């Protein structure tokens, strides 16, 4: 499966090591299929390699433009938010407007938020650590966009708990503020406080019990480092949430994205196909302790 | 008045579910207090004489660094507990605790609580287990933070 050619329309610096690329297909007929919330693409930095990167916003998801030129980028445009951790992600993070990248996808199971009126069913709890907010941004935008009353306020309770190493590493600060203004219950917590930080200090799990979540009927979407997801899921379970309504994103190493190579296998799961988003509980609770192959 | 405090104590996660009698004993040592933003609940080095059950607002646990001033180590929100050093000699605070905004908390006199826990083994036993449960949770969170989850690719 050859990658489709996309042009970098904008490269926005989110933090010192995270950038959001707005990509538009070089030709409309080349565009990959519309992504669902939480799906990922394989992005190619030509001459360097390929990496799995979640869709953080797309013109086809009901996301909004927050200064990333999505509307002007046109139909089929997508935003990927990338943390520079190695050769491929570095090349993507420094890709300048006008340069070309390859896109294969979209792959995997998403959060499933398109399929119902979640906020009418119960509390929705989004817990993200670091770059983990990327695949959750479009879900929150969508829920917020679809579930507002005549006065523009949210109909239902949407909790957004975001953790970061320190204030300078908090991504999507403008989105977090916008969601809070719509009535979402947003709390941001950092591991390390720096001068000027007046918010919470501590693990995301510390924000769960005091939040006032009603566990019956609640649904949780969790994305971040796996250790953080395990502790978060355990804290949500302790609150009384049904583990089958806690969803985690298992972002293990991927290669083909097509269910062929087995690189992403975790127990019985082929994560590029059966994941990355899976319900916590049952076998997944134990599988999350397995080391990557 | 003590009945009001007993009601407040019985809804705080640390002591919720204890019998009316035990809550009544604790209430005999407790007052409901408020702090304005920036005020200290606890000062490092001073006598550790109070257990605080946070009801409203956020308390920042701080340590003072000569070069940078106060560094917030952790914040504790509604339902949380501040102050452990009253449990063990020499009963001195090891950190500062500052109201990050308006804070409401139940302040329980530690000497009074220790005396009651000594006199009533059931209260002592239950209190010790409840406090140990919160301490365990805090220890686990501290351990996870030591992993520097968002900074290190090793811990991803
Ligand atoms: C389904 C899925 C969705 C993802 N979404 C995003 C995203 O939206 N934004 C983003 O920045 N990254 C995302 N990642 C992680 C990204 O794929 C890796 O960071 C990337 O493959 C690293 O490649 P590299 O060549 O830059 O670094 P490498 O040299 O391959 O690795 C450098 C470091 O990154 C770590 N690393 C390798 N693979 C992963 C991984 N899968 N997850 C985390 N760290 C990894 C390695 O352990 C190593 O320490 C996602 C991964 C998956 C599987
Ligand atoms: S990445 Fe090849 S099978 Fe999943």
């Amino acid at each position: 499966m050859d990658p489709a050619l996309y042009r970098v329309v904008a490269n926005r610096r989110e933090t010192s090591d995270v950038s959001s690329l707005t990509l538009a297909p070089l030709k409309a007929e080349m565009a990959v299929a519309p992504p669902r919330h939480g799906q990922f693409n394989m992005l190619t930095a030509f001459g360097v390699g390929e990496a799995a990167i979640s869709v953080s916003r797309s013109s086809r998801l009901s996301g909004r433009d927050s200064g990333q030129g999505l509307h002007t980028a046109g139909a089929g445009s997508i935003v990927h938010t990338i943390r520079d951790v190695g050769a491929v992600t570095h090349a993507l993070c420094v890709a300048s407007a006008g340069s070309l990248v390859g896109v294969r996808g979209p792959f995997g199971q998403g959060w499933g938020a398109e399929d119902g009126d979640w906020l009418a069913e119960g509390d929705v709890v989004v817990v993200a650590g670091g770059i983990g907010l990327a695949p959750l941004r479009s879900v929150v935008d969508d829920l917020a966009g679809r579930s507002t009353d005549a006065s523009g306020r949210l109909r239902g309770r949407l909790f957004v708990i975001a953790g970061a190493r320190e204030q300078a590493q908090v991504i999507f600060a403008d989105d977090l503020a916008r969601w809070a203004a719509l009535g979402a219950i947003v709390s941001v917590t950092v591991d390390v406080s720096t001068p000027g930080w007046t918010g919470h200090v501590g693990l995301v799990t510390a924000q769960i019990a005091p939040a006032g979540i009603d566990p019956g009927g609640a649904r949780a979407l969790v994305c971040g480092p796996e250790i953080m997801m395990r502790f978060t899921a355990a804290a949500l379970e302790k609150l009384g949430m049904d583990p089958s309504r806690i969803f985690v994103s298992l972002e293990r190493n991927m290669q083909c994205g097509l269910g062929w190579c087995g690189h992403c296998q975790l127990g019985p799961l082929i994560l590029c196909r059966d994941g990355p988003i899976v319900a916590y509980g049952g076998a997944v609770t134990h599988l999350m302790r397995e080391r990557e192959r | 008045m003590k009945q009001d405090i007993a009601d407040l104590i019985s809804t705080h996660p640390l002591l919720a579910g204890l019998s009316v009698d035990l809550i009544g004993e604790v209430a005999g040592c407790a007052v409901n207090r408020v702090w304005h933003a920036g005020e200290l609940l606890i000062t490092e080095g001073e006598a550790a004489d109070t257990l605080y059950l946070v009801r409203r607002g956020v308390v920042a646990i701080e340590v003072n660094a000569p070069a940078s001033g106060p560094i917030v180590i952790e914040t504790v929100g509604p339902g949380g507990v501040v102050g452990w050093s009253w449990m063990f000699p020499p009963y001195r605070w090891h950190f500062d605790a500052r109201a990050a905004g308006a804070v409401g908390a139940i302040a329980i006199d530690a000497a009074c609580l220790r005396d009651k826990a000594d006199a009533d083994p059931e209260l002592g036993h239950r209190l010790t287990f409840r406090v140990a449960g919160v301490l365990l949770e805090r220890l686990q969170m501290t351990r996870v933070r030591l992993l520097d989850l968002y900074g290190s690719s090793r811990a991803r």
Side-chain angles (χ1 to χ4, degrees):
Chain A
M1 187 181 174
D2 288 334
L5 288 180
Y6 275 64
R7 191 174 294 288
V8 177
V9 177
N11 181 338
R12 171 182 152 129
R13 236 322 127 100
E14 304 283 358
T15 69
S16 61
D17 61 353
V18 175
S19 295
S20 288
L21 294 185
T22 305
L23 306 175
L26 208 55
K27 296 191 184 124
E29 62 274 21
M30 276 186 175
V32 297
R36 290 168 67 80
H37 301 298
Q39 282 194 302
F40 68 96
N41 285 319
M42 296 298 295
L43 298 190
T44 305
F46 292 109
V48 188
E50 210 179 23
I53 305 290
S54 308
V55 176
S56 79
R57 184 164 276 159
S58 145
S59 59
R60 280 140 175 182
L61 299 170
S62 49
R64 291 150 192 240
D65 187 6
S66 67
Q68 292 170 19
L70 247 196
H71 296 328
T72 48
S77 54
I78 34 183
V79 179
H80 285 285
T81 301
I82 305 150
R83 178 161 175 236
D84 181 348
V85 295
V88 177
T89 47
H90 176 73
L92 292 169
C93 280
V94 299
S96 52
S99 58
L100 293 181
V101 299
V103 179
R104 294 192 298 123
F107 297 121
Q109 305 297 318
W111 302 105
E114 297 85 350
D115 303 332
D117 188 0
W118 282 5
L119 284 175
E121 291 171 27
D123 289 352
V124 175
V125 187
V126 167
V127 188
I131 190 78
L133 192 54
L136 286 161
R137 177 165 67 165
S138 67
V139 189
V140 179
D141 267 345
D142 189 12
L143 292 176
R146 281 191 288 142
S147 309
T148 42
D149 60 21
S151 64
R153 303 283 296 170
L154 278 179
R155 283 183 289 109
R157 297 205 309 166
L158 173 59
F159 295 83
V160 180
I161 300 172
R165 185 167 194 278
E166 58 188 45
Q167 184 178 13
Q169 300 294 327
V170 176
I171 62 168
F172 306 153
D174 44 359
D175 293 300
L176 290 162
R178 187 165 48 78
W179 298 331
L182 283 172
I185 301 136
V186 175
S187 77
V188 181
T189 182
V190 298
D191 272 357
V192 180
S193 74
T194 44
W197 175 252
T198 53
H200 299 287
V201 180
L203 214 57
V204 283
T205 52
Q207 301 306 313
I208 290 173
I213 298 159
D214 176 2
R219 189 183 254 109
L221 318 181
V222 186
C223 189
E226 273 199 29
I227 299 169
M228 165 254 162
M229 290 197 288
R230 294 208 305 258
F231 278 87
T232 301
L236 291 165
E237 219 181 332
K238 189 174 164 199
L239 207 64
M241 271 193 71
D242 175 352
S244 69
R245 291 173 74 84
I246 302 171
F247 297 88
V248 293
S249 180
L250 300 182
E251 300 188 347
R252 301 284 179 116
N253 281 337
M254 303 215 173
Q255 203 147 349
C256 69
L258 294 161
W260 294 346
C261 72
H263 259 89
C264 64
Q265 186 169 359
L266 181 63
L269 301 174
I270 299 289
L271 286 173
C272 66
R273 183 192 65 199
D274 307 325
I277 289 144
V278 295
Y280 179 76
V284 169
T285 314
H286 304 289
L287 288 173
M288 283 178 81
R289 293 208 299 269
E290 271 190 27
R291 195 169 168 185
E292 194 159 61
R293 298 190 307 149
Chain B
M1 188 64 190
K2 282 293 166 204
Q3 185 50 43
D4 294 347
I5 290 198
D7 290 345
L8 294 179
I9 291 173
S10 66
T11 57
H12 190 281
L14 182 74
L15 299 174
L18 291 192
S19 70
V20 175
D21 287 350
L22 294 184
I23 296 274
E25 285 192 59
V26 178
C29 302
V31 290
N32 191 22
R33 284 192 57 187
V34 290
W35 289 260
H36 299 294
E39 284 180 345
L40 285 171
L41 286 78
I42 284 175
T43 305
E44 182 183 342
E46 289 190 355
D49 52 7
T50 316
L51 163 67
Y52 297 97
L53 310 185
V54 182
R55 297 179 47 240
R56 283 185 291 108
V58 174
V59 178
I61 312 296
E62 300 176 347
V63 66
N64 258 297
S68 56
I71 299 170
V72 181
I73 303 160
E74 189 175 30
T75 51
V76 180
V81 181
V82 173
W84 309 110
S85 302
W86 57 270
M87 292 185 74
F88 302 103
Y91 308 124
R92 297 257 156 230
W93 297 124
H94 290 82
F95 297 101
D96 289 345
R98 190 184 302 276
V103 164
I106 300 158
I108 304 175
D109 182 282
C112 169
L113 190 62
R114 281 196 305 264
D115 287 347
K116 290 201 176 173
D118 284 344
D120 179 348
E122 190 190 349
L123 176 64
H125 172 82
R126 290 188 187 276
L127 191 64
T128 308
F129 264 83
R130 296 289 181 107
V131 167
V134 180
L135 284 173
L136 173 68
E137 210 165 87
R138 296 270 273 272
L139 173 64
Q140 286 170 340
M141 288 197 247
T142 305
R143 284 175 173 164
V144 177
R145 280 173 70 195
L146 284 175
L147 290 169
D148 189 16
L149 285 181
Y150 311 122
S152 119
S153 51
R154 203 165 60 87
R156 76 175 175 86

